[in-house]
Amino acid sequence: MRPRQFDLIAFDWDGTLFDSTAIITRAIQAAVADVGGTVPSDQSASYVIGMGLMQALAHAAPDVPQHKYPELGARYRHHYTARQHDISLFEGVLPLLAELKARQHWLTVATGKSRTGLNEVLRTVELQGMFDASRTADETAGKPSPLMLHELMAELGVAPERTLMIGDTTHDLQMALNAGCASVGVSYGAHAPGAFHALKPLHVAHSVKELHAWLSAHA
């Protein structure tokens, strides 16, 4: 077995491990419609996935006044919660995580979800023991600030050069770049991969199977 290059592997959640991009996009659009804003296109709504909730909604609905943000957030949560049990891990994610765990990588989550939302979904897919640490957008700075990764590295005692961030958006890859960490992009989530290359990922995987093969060979 080749020497391990990375000790800590941080995963984004939605669109990287969890097949939720379409439902999040629809929930954002429905929430904006509910409060009378201009409904964003699929591209505009999916672009904000990975940001903290209110940052994302403000970006997706610039014509909604600030006093309506609490209602906008509540309507988003209503629409997402109504569909959240229709979504699941991408096929192949569990074997991928199990192999990385067996190789004794620290596995973490760095997500734009809330702490409550992440905890709920971890229970739903029975992954409570898989991750060694996690950070959510409501308990630290949202992406692309490097603070999530800085906190995870500090908690587990891992240097930036031994840390790999994996995500489906430019927000994920920019966060890794800001933190001095390597990154890998996945093209099957929220953002088209054409914008990834300027952010210098080591690889762009087009499926979980391809991501698994790359990590087995290079991580």
Side-chain angles (χ1 to χ4, degrees):
M1 183 179 295
R2 68 186 302 277
R4 188 172 63 194
Q5 183 173 355
F6 300 106
D7 298 317
L8 190 162
I9 300 178
F11 289 93
D12 169 62
W13 189 261
D14 290 303
T16 300
L17 298 180
F18 211 54
D19 189 7
S20 50
T21 299
I23 286 177
I24 293 174
T25 298
R26 300 292 174 265
I28 290 171
Q29 292 170 325
V32 175
D34 286 351
V35 301
T38 301
V39 176
S41 66
D42 288 358
Q43 182 178 3
S44 295
S46 64
Y47 174 79
V48 303
I49 294 174
M51 297 179 180
L53 176 59
M54 294 318 301
Q55 177 190 7
L57 293 175
H59 192 284
D63 63 335
V64 173
Q66 285 193 355
H67 73 268
K68 286 192 172 183
Y69 283 5
E71 182 186 359
L72 182 61
R75 295 310 298 165
Y76 168 80
R77 285 186 284 269
H78 166 79
H79 290 293
Y80 179 82
T81 301
R83 297 291 304 279
Q84 66 179 336
H85 297 300
D86 298 339
I87 52 184
S88 61
L89 291 167
F90 285 108
E91 184 178 356
V93 163
L94 284 175
L96 165 62
L97 295 175
E99 180 180 307
L100 294 174
K101 194 78 170 173
R103 289 169 50 176
Q104 300 185 326
H105 295 278
W106 294 114
L107 300 183
T108 68
V109 175
T111 178
K113 297 181 79 65
S114 68
R115 170 53 60 188
T116 298
L118 180 63
N119 286 349
E120 285 177 356
V121 78
L122 287 175
R123 285 193 294 269
T124 299
V125 295
E126 299 178 341
L127 283 171
Q128 295 96 322
M130 187 66 75
F131 296 102
D132 300 290
S134 60
R135 287 295 185 280
T136 60
D138 61 341
E139 61 191 9
T140 185
K143 302 169 185 177
S145 167
L147 190 57
M148 277 191 200
L149 288 177
H150 285 165
E151 291 182 359
L152 289 168
M153 290 186 288
E155 180 175 340
L156 297 171
V158 179
E161 62 269 19
R162 303 289 298 178
T163 299
L164 178 68
M165 176 69 204
I166 300 172
D168 68 311
T169 70
T170 54
H171 315 307
D172 299 311
L173 305 189
Q174 184 66 61
M175 176 175 67
L177 200 60
N178 293 344
C181 302
S183 69
V184 166
V186 300
S187 69
Y188 50 80
H191 286 190
F196 290 175
H197 300 292
L199 301 173
K200 303 177 182 178
L202 297 179
H203 181 67
V204 176
H206 301 295
S207 65
V208 174
K209 182 178 180 180
E210 184 183 331
L211 177 64
H212 192 159
W214 189 91
L215 290 171
S216 295
H218 301 285

